[in-house]
Amino acid sequence: MVSFVDYVKIFAQAGTGGNGCASIRREKYKPLAGPDGGAGGHGGSVILRVNPQETTLLPFHHRPHVKAENGQAGMGDYRDGRRGEDLFLDVPQGTVVTSEDGEFLADLDSPEAQLVIARGGVGGMGNYGLASAKRKAPGFALLGEPGEERTVILELKSMADVALVGYPSAGKSSLIAAMSAARPKIADYPFTTLVPNLAVVDNPAARYTVADVPGLIPGAAQGKGLGLDFLRHIERCCVIAHVVDLAAWDPEREPLADIKTLERELAHYASSLDRYRPGRDFLPPLMERQRAIILNKIDVPDGRDMAALMETELAKLGWPVFEVSATTHEGLKELAFGLAEMVQEYRSHLPENDPERPVLRPQPKSARPAKTYTIETTTIEGTPGFSVRGEQVERWVKQTDFTNDEAVGYLADRLANLGVEDDLLKAGAQAGDTVVIGDPDTGVVFDWEPTLQAGAELLGARGTDSRLYENTRRTNQQRRIDYHAWMDAKKRAREELDAERESGLWNDPGEAD
């Protein structure tokens, strides 16, 4: 059964905002006392939170799909909907978050670190919040905005100071058990350690953590053995200690050659190592970090003789060498102090963590806000058209109830006040052109009609917008034109009658008698 996971992909979906309420207050003697619809609650967000008690990403391996709570819809009597609860996902310290396409998002390397990976949708406003001096009783409300959907990759990289690397059965787990209170699995067969083990070493000189990386063999860079999957846990380590097994009498192996072989495998891994993380630029390259050599099992027969034979060759490397025995605890005190000095030397060069004080500077407010949208020509279902993109305008479209004509008119007013119609005219749009707001494949497509006048005073009954229907009522100008045409026709008729009378076409009945 899987007990340790350091790489998972999760699918996060934030909560949808609640819809606003369109309601009219009714009281005694006041059947229509005004709008009282409340706003919908905001949807819950999905948030990653560092929990020092967590050591694995196993919970997300079994449940990769997570969803936050939706916001509650607004209600009458000025009652707003309840906000959806945020969903907090506890992750171990040292979790690196990247997007599905490899974009770096965050490095959660501090105990208080949090990251919002999917933001909840905004709740829609009720008709009480939409009321104004000109639109006194709106017959519509805004819909809740859908929550974000995002796929992210979580990669755990242990927060250790010292990494123990070596061949299988070199005694790495035994060293951790002897130097700390950790109790990893120890057995007399290779690849006993299948997952990294972390231990805390309390030393008078320094308190530091040690990571036991599963055993490496030649060809690990090509996937042999356990491969290099667990080498991500040494990326944050400032000291890499090679554990050499003095009891290995394999004729094809030689301790010094083992060190060189592992260094080559580390070099293969370092070539693709992304060490340039924000806040981690002070870490030197992997192949330039401090090294140490631990000659383990000197208590076995001929163990000291083997260490003496390698003394000259190991001295050429220039790395500190420690002769220890995890069984008898010989040399462990010197090893603990030696590693502590190396860790302290690294920590002394770290930049001081002096957080800057935030400086708040008021921004000048213009009469008309800056444009937050773009207009481009595009092809929509094989027809030339225009695409309007922008977070604000797309949110307005998502919150519009297109089954309510008054809500559609309200959207037209907002777009006109923002300047979208003017910019469409400047871009060359004409009446009847196809316009899409949002993504060309999933956005809202409509035929643009720039002749609609904006203003709430032009609205009709609640829930309707007379601008969306054909209006046959004559304007004052048309009435004046019709009146003058009628008067001119009447004048011409009188002139024709007078001309006929003068020509004798009409006879006087008295003269005829």
Side-chain angles (χ1 to χ4, degrees):
M1 181 178 179
V2 178
S3 61
F4 179 84
V5 174
D6 59 357
Y7 184 93
V8 294
K9 178 188 293 187
I10 63 175
F11 308 90
Q13 180 178 356
T16 301
N19 297 334
C21 176
S23 173
I24 299 297
R25 185 173 180 82
R26 288 170 171 78
E27 300 177 2
K28 190 176 183 180
Y29 308 116
K30 292 183 179 180
L32 299 177
D36 66 345
H42 299 325
S45 301
V46 181
I47 305 174
L48 296 179
R49 178 177 59 187
V50 171
N51 184 355
Q53 302 300 322
E54 294 288 340
T55 58
T56 177
L57 300 174
L58 182 62
F60 310 111
H61 175 74
H62 298 299
R63 191 170 63 94
H65 296 269
V66 293
K67 182 180 180 181
E69 185 180 9
N70 295 332
Q72 187 181 15
M75 296 164 283
D77 199 17
Y78 312 103
R79 293 175 296 173
D80 294 338
R82 184 175 61 86
R83 178 170 183 165
E85 294 289 339
D86 293 334
L87 178 61
F88 287 92
L89 306 178
D90 291 337
V91 297
Q93 184 177 352
T95 301
V96 176
V97 187
T98 57
S99 63
E100 195 174 13
D101 55 0
E103 179 187 0
F104 174 77
L105 299 179
D107 187 356
L108 306 179
D109 57 354
S110 61
E112 300 85 10
Q114 292 186 0
L115 175 66
V116 180
I117 58 175
R119 195 171 300 276
V122 178
M125 294 180 61
N127 63 344
Y128 173 72
L130 296 172
S132 63
K134 296 182 178 180
R135 184 182 278 108
K136 298 182 181 296
F140 70 98
L142 298 184
L143 304 179
E145 182 184 5
E148 292 182 347
E149 295 184 11
R150 201 171 193 181
T151 301
V152 297
I153 296 175
L154 306 184
E155 188 176 0
L156 176 59
K157 298 181 179 181
S158 302
M159 303 290 294
D161 299 305
V162 180
L164 302 181
V165 297
Y167 271 69
S169 299
K172 301 182 294 297
S173 300
S174 300
L175 281 176
I176 282 186
M179 297 176 63
S180 67
R183 292 296 177 264
K185 181 180 179 180
I186 301 173
D188 57 353
Y189 53 85
F191 295 109
T192 305
T193 303
L194 299 178
V195 297
N197 296 311
L198 287 180
V200 179
V201 178
D202 285 317
N203 188 273
R207 189 172 187 265
Y208 56 93
T209 57
V210 180
D212 168 21
V213 180
L216 299 176
I217 61 175
Q222 287 75 37
K224 293 185 178 180
L226 295 178
L228 300 179
D229 291 340
F230 293 107
L231 279 184
R232 65 172 62 97
H233 296 280
I234 72 172
E235 291 184 20
R236 305 176 191 271
C237 300
C238 59
V239 179
I240 299 178
H242 288 271
V243 180
V244 179
D245 183 7
L246 296 179
W249 291 103
D250 188 345
E252 298 182 358
R253 285 178 50 191
E254 194 268 324
L256 186 59
D258 291 351
I259 298 176
K260 295 180 180 180
T261 300
L262 294 183
E263 283 294 315
R264 285 194 298 269
E265 298 298 331
L266 292 177
H268 278 92
Y269 180 76
S271 61
S272 60
L273 175 61
D274 183 13
R275 63 182 179 86
Y276 296 103
R277 302 289 192 188
R280 285 283 167 184
D281 293 343
F282 50 81
L283 270 174
L286 183 65
M287 302 308 296
E288 299 178 9
R289 298 179 193 177
Q290 301 180 85
R291 296 291 201 275
I293 299 176
I294 302 175
L295 302 180
N296 192 23
K297 304 180 183 180
I298 61 171
D299 56 308
V300 300
D302 299 328
R304 298 181 190 276
D305 297 337
M306 180 68 72
L309 291 174
M310 295 189 299
E311 183 177 358
T312 303
E313 295 295 330
L314 294 178
K316 296 179 181 179
L317 297 176
W319 301 339
V321 180
F322 302 94
E323 299 180 6
V324 300
S325 171
T327 303
T328 64
H329 291 197
E330 181 180 352
L332 292 184
K333 183 177 181 180
E334 292 77 6
L335 173 62
F337 275 95
L339 296 178
E341 291 179 1
M342 300 175 72
V343 173
Q344 281 292 86
E345 180 182 356
Y346 163 75
R347 292 176 179 175
S348 63
H349 295 87
L350 291 179
E352 295 183 1
N353 187 13
D354 187 13
E356 298 181 359
R357 294 183 179 181
V359 179
L360 303 180
R361 294 184 176 88
Q363 298 294 332
K365 184 177 181 181
S366 59
R368 192 167 187 172
K371 295 181 181 179
T372 57
Y373 60 89
T374 59
I375 298 179
E376 299 177 352
T377 57
T378 183
T379 302
I380 305 169
E381 298 180 354
T383 304
F386 297 86
S387 173
V388 182
R389 300 301 303 269
E391 181 180 357
Q392 187 179 36
V393 294
E394 291 181 26
R395 184 175 69 250
W396 288 352
V397 169
K398 293 177 182 178
Q399 292 182 323
T400 300
D401 180 9
F402 286 93
T403 62
N404 188 301
D405 294 338
E406 188 178 354
V408 176
Y410 179 71
L411 173 63
D413 294 342
R414 301 177 85 178
L415 295 177
N417 294 333
L418 190 62
V420 175
E421 284 202 357
D422 296 340
D423 290 336
L424 282 173
L425 284 172
K426 294 177 182 179
Q430 298 179 0
D433 285 350
T434 303
V435 177
V436 58
I437 299 180
D439 187 83
D441 297 329
T442 60
V444 176
V445 182
F446 59 94
D447 294 333
W448 185 55
E449 294 293 342
T451 58
L452 290 181
Q453 302 182 35
E457 67 277 4
L458 301 175
L459 301 180
R462 286 193 305 275
T464 63
D465 192 322
S466 59
R467 296 171 294 175
L468 301 179
Y469 306 97
E470 183 179 359
N471 190 358
T472 59
R473 184 178 180 181
R474 294 180 301 170
T475 62
N476 291 335
Q477 182 179 4
Q478 187 64 38
R479 288 193 184 98
R480 283 193 294 269
I481 295 174
D482 294 344
Y483 173 76
H484 290 301
W486 176 70
M487 293 299 292
D488 292 341
K490 188 175 181 180
K491 182 179 179 180
R492 287 193 300 270
R494 288 198 186 102
E495 292 176 350
E496 291 177 359
L497 289 175
D498 292 341
E500 291 176 356
R501 185 184 305 110
E502 292 177 356
S503 63
L505 181 62
W506 292 357
N507 295 324
D508 190 348
E511 295 179 357
D513 295 339

